[in-house]
Amino acid sequence: MTNPSNKISAVNDFVIKFANVNGSGSASANELFAKSILRMGVPVSPRNIFPSNIQGLPTWYEVRVNEAGHLGRRGGTDMMVAMNPQTWDADVAELESGGYLFYDSTRPLPPSKFREDIHVIGMPLTEICNAVYQDPRQRQLFKNIVYVGALAVLLGIEPEVIEKLFSEQYKGKEKLLDSNVRALHLGCDFVRENLGKDTVGLKVRRADKVGQRIFVDGNSAAALGCVYGGATVAAWYPITPSSSVAEAFQRYCSKFRVDAATGQQRYAIVQAEDEIASIGMVVGAGWNGARAFTATSGPGVSLMTEFIGLAYFAEIPVTIINVQRGGPSTGMPTRTQQADILSCAYASHGDTKHVLLFPQDPHECFEHAATALDLADRLQTPVFVMTDLDIGMNQRLCEPFEWDDSKAYDRGKVMSAAELEAGKEFGRYKDVDGDGIPWRTLPGTHPARSSAATRTWMATAFPGARCRARTPPRAATSRGAPRATPTRATRSAGRTTSTTWSGCCASSPAPPGWCRRRWNGLPQRRRTWASSTSGRPRRPCRRRWRCWSPRRTCTWMRCACAPSRSPTAWRASWKRTAACSWWSRTAMRRCAACSSTNWVCRPSRWWRCCTTTARRSPRASSPRPSPRR
C-alpha cells in the first residue's frame, strides 16, 4: 500500500485536511492544530467546511501551510486525517499521489479501501482512549487531542507550543488543563514508540514569517469595529453565518462598555423574534440618536426590505452587517457566496440606492464596521457592510487593528438646542445647505423646535407647559357644582367635543377632540362618550387618555365642592388614598374639604390612563370599582 519512491516531501508548504463528524468536538482540536503551526512562525490559512446541522453530518477542516501567506485553496491534499467512515472513499480519492492517509486503525479495513500510490499511517485511537478513559464522551473528545499529539510528532511541531496554548485556553481550570495535556502526550508517546518521526515527509520548521500580524475571523473583527465605532445598540436574529457578530459584540461590550465604578452596562443587545423586529428596533434606536446595527444574511435582508426603505426615506441612520451565504433559507446556509450585492444595493420598495462597503479581510471588517456607523450618521441613510462566510467565520492573518483615540465620531448634521434657540434655520427635511442632507435634531433636544411636528404645533398653539386635563365646564346644579351644557356636536355625534376647558386650559381653546394634557410633551386624544341629550354620562365614562409614559401618576381632578378655586388651590385640596400606577385595578382620590370620593382612577390594560367613572353622591363612603374591561 505504500510506495517509498513516490513520497511527498515539503517544509512549511503543504495542505492537510481533517475529515470529521459534526458535533464530535473536532473543531476546537483542529483549530488548536492550526494555531500551533502559527505559533512556530509559519503562516496558515484554515477553512472550516461544515454542514447545516448540529450533529452527525460530515465536516472538514482544511489547513494550508505556506510561508508566503497564501489564502486561497491550492487544490489537492497532501495529508488526510480520515476520521469519518461516511466520507472515506471521497477523502481517500482527494489525496495527491504520494500523499499520507492518517486514520484510526482500531478496526481493520480491507485493502480495497486504500490506494496503492499513497502512504497509510494507522493508529488505534479508539483503543488508546478506551483504555484510559471511562466516560464515553471523554473518549470521543480526547481522541481528537490524541491525534493532534500524534501529528505534532509526525510533522515536527513542538509539543511545548501546544501545551502553552492549553494553558492560555484553560487558565484557572487546572483539571481541564491536566486532562488535555495528558491526552496530548498519549499521542506523542505512541508515535515515538511505534511509528517514528521520519514516517512523514511533510515538516514544520520554526520561522519568522508571521511578524506582527494577528489571527482573527471577520465576524469578531466587525463586532470590535462596531464597539470602537460607537455602537451602543445591537438587535439581531440568529442566522448562519452572521450570528457570531452579535455574540462577539456582546463579549466585547461586557469588557469595554461596563462602567468600572458602578458596574452599569452602557449598551443594549436584543435578540429579536425575527429579522423584521430586529431591523425595526435598529431603526427606532437610530431615530432616537443611538448608534445601532444589526447582523444578518441574505434571507434576513429580504425580510428587512420594508424597514430598510423606511429608514431610507425617513433619513434615519442604520448600519447592517450582511455576512453573505449561498442559497435561500436552509438551502446552503454554510456555503459562501457573494450573492446579495444587487439585492442590498436597491433594497426597498421604490427608487433607492444604498451605500455598500466591501471588506477583503478581517482588518477591513474592523475598519469598515466603524466607518459604516460614521457614514450612516453623516448621510442619514442605511449603510451595508458586505462580508461573506469565508471572511466572517474563518480565521485569517491580517494586519493589527489601529484606532486613533483622539478621533471624534462623525454624527453628521445634528442641530443642538443652543443653535435652535439662536434662531438657526431648521426644517427636518429642508435642504438648507444644498447638499441633499437636511439637519436633524435628536429627541429631547428642544421642547418647541425639535423635529417632532406634533410637539412644535402644540407648543405654538398652547404655550402652557404644565397643563393638566380637566373636565368640560358644567352648568350649576342644586349642589353648586358645574354641569355640562351639551353642544350641537354632542347631540349629533354622541360625544363631547366642546372647545372650552376649565382650569388653566380655559384661557386658550383646544382643537375639537383634543385636550392640552401632555405626557412627555405630546398632546393626547380625548374620547368621552356622553348622552346625546343631556351630556351626562349614561354609563361609566370610558375616557381614555393615550399616554406615552406608562408610569406617570394620574392627574389631579377637581371636586364638586370647589368650583371656583384656582388650579393650584384645588390641586392641593386633593390627597391620594391609593397608589395610582398602571398595573393597579382601582385608585381613588378623596377631597380634603368634603371628604367625598367622586372620582375613581382606573388605568387601562395597555395604556397609562385616567378613566373617569360616573359621579356618585358625595355622601358615598367609598367609590365603587369600575367594571373590568
Side-chain angles (χ1 to χ4, degrees):
M1 290 185 293
T2 61
N3 184 6
S5 61
N6 185 20
K7 185 177 181 179
I8 297 179
S9 298
V11 178
N12 294 348
D13 189 9
F14 57 88
V15 176
I16 181 171
K17 192 171 185 178
F18 299 83
N20 302 97
V21 178
N22 197 32
S24 61
S26 60
S28 58
N30 298 337
E31 182 179 333
L32 178 73
F33 172 82
K35 287 183 177 180
S36 65
I37 299 178
L38 189 69
R39 288 293 179 92
M40 294 187 66
V42 182
V44 295
S45 177
R47 185 169 184 265
N48 191 16
I49 308 170
F50 57 98
S52 58
N53 80 321
I54 299 175
Q55 188 171 2
L57 292 182
T59 181
W60 294 269
Y61 192 85
E62 183 179 300
V63 180
R64 182 175 183 181
V65 182
N66 185 267
E67 288 189 359
H70 298 313
L71 300 176
R73 301 183 67 184
R74 188 198 65 184
T77 302
D78 299 323
M79 187 173 187
M80 177 69 69
V81 181
M83 296 293 159
N84 190 356
Q86 299 178 5
T87 60
W88 175 275
D89 294 336
D91 295 335
V92 172
E94 190 176 344
L95 272 170
E96 294 283 347
S97 180
Y100 304 90
L101 176 65
F102 183 92
Y103 78 107
D104 185 1
S105 62
T106 302
R107 297 180 60 183
L109 297 176
S112 59
K113 288 292 184 178
F114 303 95
R115 285 167 46 188
E116 295 292 337
D117 59 340
I118 63 174
H119 300 266
V120 179
I121 305 171
M123 180 176 176
L125 296 171
T126 303
E127 181 181 340
I128 294 173
C129 293
N130 290 346
V132 178
Y133 303 101
Q134 301 300 322
D135 183 37
R137 183 58 178 169
Q138 286 186 341
R139 292 173 177 176
Q140 176 60 49
L141 294 177
F142 287 118
K143 183 170 71 172
N144 303 317
I145 305 299
V146 171
Y147 73 64
V148 170
L151 293 174
V153 177
L154 291 172
L155 300 175
I157 302 174
E158 300 171 6
E160 294 78 14
V161 174
I162 304 178
E163 292 180 14
K164 186 176 181 180
L165 288 171
F166 278 140
S167 64
E168 295 173 0
Q169 182 176 356
Y170 300 111
K171 185 178 181 180
K173 304 176 181 178
E174 302 300 331
K175 186 176 181 180
L176 290 174
L177 175 61
D178 296 339
S179 58
N180 279 274
V181 172
R182 181 186 180 188
L184 177 70
H185 285 289
L186 286 175
C188 295
D189 296 340
F190 182 88
V191 172
R192 294 191 184 101
E193 297 172 3
N194 300 276
L195 298 177
K197 297 186 295 183
D198 298 329
T199 306
V200 177
L202 306 175
K203 297 299 178 182
V204 177
R205 184 180 300 165
R206 183 171 283 275
D208 189 15
K209 300 295 183 180
V210 176
Q212 299 298 321
R213 288 180 291 177
I214 59 177
F215 196 56
V216 66
D217 62 275
N219 285 353
S220 298
L224 188 61
C226 290
V227 172
Y228 274 82
T232 57
V233 177
W236 65 296
Y237 182 76
I239 179 173
T240 304
S242 68
S243 299
S244 57
V245 175
E247 295 167 355
F249 182 75
Q250 182 177 7
R251 186 170 63 251
Y252 292 132
C253 282
S254 62
K255 183 178 181 180
F256 299 115
R257 288 286 171 81
V258 177
D259 189 280
T262 62
Q264 182 181 4
Q265 296 178 347
R266 297 182 174 179
Y267 61 92
I269 302 175
V270 183
Q271 180 177 326
E273 61 268 26
D274 52 35
E275 288 86 353
I276 301 175
S278 64
I279 187 62
M281 295 175 186
V282 170
V283 171
W287 180 85
N288 276 277
R291 287 200 159 187
F293 78 96
T294 184
T296 187
S297 191
V301 173
S302 299
L303 294 173
M304 296 178 180
T305 299
E306 188 171 4
F307 264 118
I308 293 173
L310 170 64
Y312 179 88
F313 288 106
E315 302 190 24
I316 299 173
V318 171
T319 300
I320 303 170
I321 299 177
N322 182 7
V323 188
Q324 300 171 84
R325 69 185 195 185
S329 187
T330 57
M332 295 187 296
T334 60
R335 299 295 183 265
T336 188
Q337 188 177 3
Q338 297 175 348
D340 303 334
I341 296 176
L342 287 179
S343 61
C344 290
Y346 303 101
S348 177
H349 308 102
D351 186 11
T352 58
K353 292 182 180 180
H354 300 297
V355 179
L356 274 60
L357 306 179
F358 297 92
Q360 69 170 351
D361 57 11
H363 181 270
E364 290 194 352
C365 287
F366 171 81
E367 289 187 341
H368 287 11
T371 303
L373 295 166
D374 276 346
L375 287 176
D377 276 348
R378 165 57 61 183
L379 303 178
Q380 300 179 24
T381 190
V383 176
F384 290 83
V385 180
M386 307 291 292
T387 71
D388 57 29
L389 186 147
D390 267 351
I391 300 175
M393 297 195 69
N394 293 315
Q395 293 178 313
R396 293 187 178 184
L397 277 175
C398 65
E399 295 299 323
F401 303 151
E402 297 179 356
W403 185 262
D404 185 4
D405 291 334
S406 62
K407 178 181 178 181
Y409 297 137
D410 185 1
R411 298 310 305 266
K413 294 184 175 182
V414 180
M415 196 167 291
S416 63
E419 292 173 322
L420 293 172
E421 284 290 345
K424 188 173 181 179
E425 184 179 5
F426 171 71
R428 177 59 187 97
Y429 298 107
K430 184 176 182 180
D431 187 8
V432 178
D433 302 324
D435 57 0
I437 303 174
W439 287 82
R440 63 181 176 127
T441 58
L442 302 181
T445 300
H446 197 281
R449 298 182 176 91
S450 65
S451 54
T454 306
R455 295 171 182 258
T456 306
W457 176 81
M458 287 302 299
T460 305
F462 305 104
R466 283 294 185 184
C467 185
R468 296 288 192 240
R470 312 295 179 210
T471 57
R474 307 177 71 87
T477 61
S478 59
R479 295 188 55 83
R483 181 171 180 176
T485 303
T487 62
R488 181 177 300 177
T490 302
R491 297 189 182 97
S492 59
R495 63 178 65 185
T496 304
T497 56
S498 174
T499 58
T500 304
W501 299 87
S502 62
C504 59
C505 293
S507 59
S508 56
W514 291 86
C515 177
R516 287 191 53 204
R517 177 182 182 186
R518 294 187 181 190
W519 295 90
N520 291 342
L522 291 175
Q524 307 303 322
R525 184 74 174 180
R526 173 173 57 84
R527 184 184 181 188
T528 305
W529 296 94
S531 172
S532 60
T533 56
S534 64
R536 300 182 62 182
R538 55 189 176 189
R539 63 173 181 268
C541 181
R542 304 198 172 217
R543 186 175 186 175
R544 298 184 181 182
W545 304 102
R546 295 183 51 178
C547 305
W548 288 59
S549 181
R551 298 197 180 188
R552 292 286 295 274
T553 57
C554 178
T555 57
W556 300 103
M557 297 199 177
R558 186 174 61 174
C559 180
C561 69
S564 59
R565 294 185 184 182
S566 64
T568 304
W570 54 256
R571 273 204 300 269
S573 67
W574 285 85
K575 61 181 179 180
R576 187 181 309 180
T577 59
C580 182
S581 53
W582 69 278
W583 55 82
S584 63
R585 295 306 306 168
T586 60
M588 59 186 176
R589 302 184 187 281
R590 186 183 301 274
C591 181
C594 63
S595 299
S596 64
T597 54
N598 296 341
W599 299 93
V600 175
C601 172
R602 184 169 70 88
S604 71
R605 186 173 302 174
W606 301 112
W607 299 90
R608 172 68 179 84
C609 297
C610 287
T611 303
T612 307
T613 61
R615 282 182 179 268
R616 303 184 62 207
S617 170
R619 294 185 295 274
S621 58
S622 62
R624 179 181 302 173
S626 300
R628 182 183 295 271
R629 292 180 185 171

